[in-house]
Amino acid sequence: MKFKYEHDFPTDRNSLISAIFDNGVTERLKAHMSTVMDAQTLEWTRDGDRIRRRVRYLPVPMINDVGGKKVEPQWMEWVEESEVDLAAGRAEFRNVPTTSGIVPLLENTGVMEFVELDGGHTRRIITGELRVKVFLVGRIAELIIADTARKILDDEAAAMRKLLQAGTAS
């Protein structure tokens, strides 16, 4: 399934991109979020106008069982692998499950774009595709995962706005 999420922020484009991809921002955001149990920057490198990072996320469980089978929280854990082109204001990402048995069943890739709005505001537009390759229940799982992703991104955007207002985003 294809998805699109948009969030507006009260800052200019370059400041927002720098804040969102600042080294260690994940740990600062986590303190203000209720949708993730844990989040950790695993890797962060900058080479000129390019930043590459790997961030592990463990969301708060949204479902406890499927068809009577217990869903372990770690099954929902993933690592975001992203690369941002600061000059272009665009990032590409891939979310990879950390549980080896889930890896062949789930594909999630996309793009983040940052568009300047009037009044010094910026809109982050996240588009991509999510595929769960499980017969019969794949489409239902996609809808649940997409809804969970929306809640996490809404929560992350609210936390980022708090950091921006407090002047502690980067």
Side-chain angles (χ1 to χ4, degrees), residues 34-104:
S34 62
T35 54
V36 293
M37 292 172 45
D38 195 20
Q40 177 186 19
T41 302
L42 302 175
E43 184 179 320
W44 188 95
T45 59
R46 181 169 181 169
D47 183 13
D49 281 342
R50 294 205 176 271
I51 294 174
R52 289 175 187 82
R53 73 176 185 183
R54 293 180 65 246
V55 179
R56 182 184 57 79
Y57 293 93
L58 178 61
V60 171
M62 300 289 178
I63 54 174
N64 295 321
D65 65 83
V66 174
K69 180 171 173 123
K70 183 174 174 16
V71 174
E72 298 296 333
Q74 287 72 23
W75 294 358
M76 301 299 138
E77 184 179 63
W78 78 93
V79 173
E80 168 208 313
E81 298 175 347
S82 58
E83 181 175 337
V84 63
D85 181 336
L86 296 171
R90 185 174 193 272
E92 294 182 7
F93 67 88
R94 177 173 91 128
N95 292 323
V96 181
T98 60
T99 302
S100 60
I102 305 295
V103 172

